[in-house]
Amino acid sequence: MKIGFMCAGQGAQAVGMGADLYASSPAAKAVFDEADIVLKRGVARMCFDGPMEDLTASAHCQPAIYTMTAACLAALLERVDIKPVICGGLSLGEFAAAYAAGVFPFSDGLTLVAKRGELMGEACRRSDGGMAAVLNADPRLVETICAETGIDVANFNCPGQIVISGRKDGVEKAVQSLKDSGVSKVIVLQVDGAFHSRLMAPAAEAFTPLLAGVSFADPVCALVQNVTGASVHSAAEIRENLAAQVTGSVRWEDCLRTMLDTGVEALVELGPGKVLNGFMKRVDRRFPVYNVADTASLAETVEALKGSV
């Protein structure tokens, strides 16, 4: 069976994530232990014990979710020999996807996401940003209203779900314009700032030279990237797209369709939660999707894939 990996993004975090995998999987434990050594802080303790307020902060959340996702991957590969045909991740998850595709070692990716989280958190504190989820609206209408109100489209997640991002006053104007245009459901999100918008430009500017300082390899399988929604096969493209991703739109629906176009026969979501499985179901409800987030979901996924890979 041709398998693809999907990696969770920021917002999927939960206190306690990874604790049972740490206790039951030597491979997952090794990932958490390495993270603590690389960053010289308690990444594992933050995942297991929180508190949620600290775990939600970008500076802690991004390395925590990256580590958790890599631990889920390690626990899966400990049980089943899978060589993915394509990998992809939502926003932050793109770094874990690149690691899974052999672009850089775990430690290099961890160092990058830790710095990315710090820079994005700083950009949030310096700007008065907000985000809102727009449900069941025409994407062209959303883009037009964002342009008129001076904000950006942050995410095209799946059919029927778009996220907008920018200065709070601009988001408020856009929300009202969308409602006036007949969009019945717009939800203002409780977030620290305006991710994937022009307000993240200072973070992108500081992050780009850090990417240049890390050695990237060509991926061993296709890697689908957020800013284009297409798969790439060269280290240079991957580095460029990761830099652009900080301020660019996450075209996750396009990423999912690109994965399907490769002939992949099942997708496995790695990391906390099952948000990406839900997005995939909105694209194709019948397509087989699995996840690894804890020992129970690991066992279910291993059983489902046994004999197929």
Side-chain angles (χ1 to χ4, degrees), residues 4 6 29 65 99 122 126 180 184 217 220 228-229 231 237-238 255 263 275 279 282 299:
M6 304 186 293
K29 180 180 184 299
I65 290 180
Y99 161 65
E122 184 177 345
R126 291 182 175 181
D180 291 343
S184 60
V220 297
T228 64
S231 60
E237 285 180 285
I238 293 167
C255 289
V275 170
F279 291 160
R282 293 293 297 271

Side-chain angles (χ1 to χ4, degrees), residues 164-213:
I164 60 178
S165 181
R167 290 189 59 84
K168 282 184 179 178
D169 56 355
V171 172
E172 290 169 359
K173 291 177 183 176
V175 168
Q176 188 58 54
S177 293
L178 286 163
K179 290 180 177 179
D180 291 343
S181 299
V183 179
S184 60
K185 198 161 187 180
V186 185
I187 304 168
V188 176
L189 302 179
Q190 299 303 310
V191 294
D192 292 334
F195 300 117
H196 297 290
S197 79
R198 67 195 75 180
L199 297 186
M200 290 294 107
E205 183 178 354
F207 188 55
T208 298
L210 299 179
L211 284 166

Side-chain angles (χ1 to χ4, degrees), residues 8-289:
Q10 190 166 346
Q13 68 275 4
V15 174
M17 63 182 188
D20 59 345
L21 291 173
Y22 185 91
S24 62
S25 166
K29 180 180 184 299
V31 171
F32 280 110
D33 289 346
E34 183 179 355
D36 286 354
I37 293 169
V38 170
L39 294 187
K40 298 181 175 62
R41 55 176 151 129
V43 179
R45 187 174 66 250
M46 180 63 67
C47 290
F48 305 160
D49 302 327
M52 189 61 177
E53 182 179 357
D54 291 343
L55 184 58
T56 300
S58 292
H60 300 304
C61 179
Q62 295 200 18
I65 290 180
Y66 173 84
T67 299
M68 167 62 175
T69 303
C72 291
L73 173 62
L76 177 62
L77 297 182
E78 190 177 43
R79 301 277 300 276
V80 186
D81 182 20
I82 297 176
K83 292 180 174 58
V85 297
I86 192 165
C87 296
L90 179 72
S91 187
L92 165 68
E94 196 169 286
F95 287 83
Y99 161 65
V103 174
F104 41 63
F106 169 76
S107 58
D108 286 353
L110 179 61
T111 301
L112 284 172
V113 298
K115 192 62 181 176
R116 180 180 184 269
E118 292 174 8
L119 292 169
M120 291 176 68
E122 184 177 345
C124 288
R125 289 188 293 273
R126 291 182 175 181
S127 60
D128 188 24
M131 303 178 77
V134 184
L135 306 182
N136 302 318
D138 183 340
R140 292 169 296 182
L141 171 66
V142 177
E143 290 178 297
T144 297
I145 288 177
C146 283
E148 291 173 350
T149 54
I151 65 170
D152 301 295
V153 179
N155 298 63
F156 296 92
N157 283 330
C158 64
Q161 188 182 119
I162 297 172
V163 178
I164 60 178
S165 181
R167 290 189 59 84
K168 282 184 179 178
D169 56 355
V171 172
E172 290 169 359
K173 291 177 183 176
V175 168
Q176 188 58 54
S177 293
L178 286 163
K179 290 180 177 179
D180 291 343
S181 299
V183 179
S184 60
K185 198 161 187 180
V186 185
I187 304 168
V188 176
L189 302 179
Q190 299 303 310
V191 294
D192 292 334
F195 300 117
H196 297 290
S197 79
R198 67 195 75 180
L199 297 186
M200 290 294 107
E205 183 178 354
F207 188 55
T208 298
L210 299 179
L211 284 166
V214 173
S215 178
F216 279 39
D218 291 343
V220 297
C221 65
L223 177 68
V224 65
Q225 292 200 275
N226 292 177
V227 295
T228 64
S231 60
V232 299
H233 301 273
S234 78
E237 285 180 285
I238 293 167
R239 182 184 283 108
E240 181 179 346
N241 289 338
L242 286 175
Q245 188 225 63
V246 177
T247 56
S249 299
V250 173
R251 300 183 180 278
W252 185 246
E253 181 181 343
D254 289 344
C255 289
L256 290 174
R257 296 188 188 280
T258 296
M259 287 182 162
L260 294 178
D261 288 344
T262 65
V264 69
E265 297 170 89
L267 291 169
V268 178
E269 180 175 357
L270 303 167
K274 297 176 67 175
V275 170
L276 304 186
N277 276 14
F279 291 160
M280 184 63 236
K281 290 299 185 183
R282 293 293 297 271
V283 172
D284 185 345
R285 182 165 295 279
R286 295 171 298 175
F287 191 82
V289 287

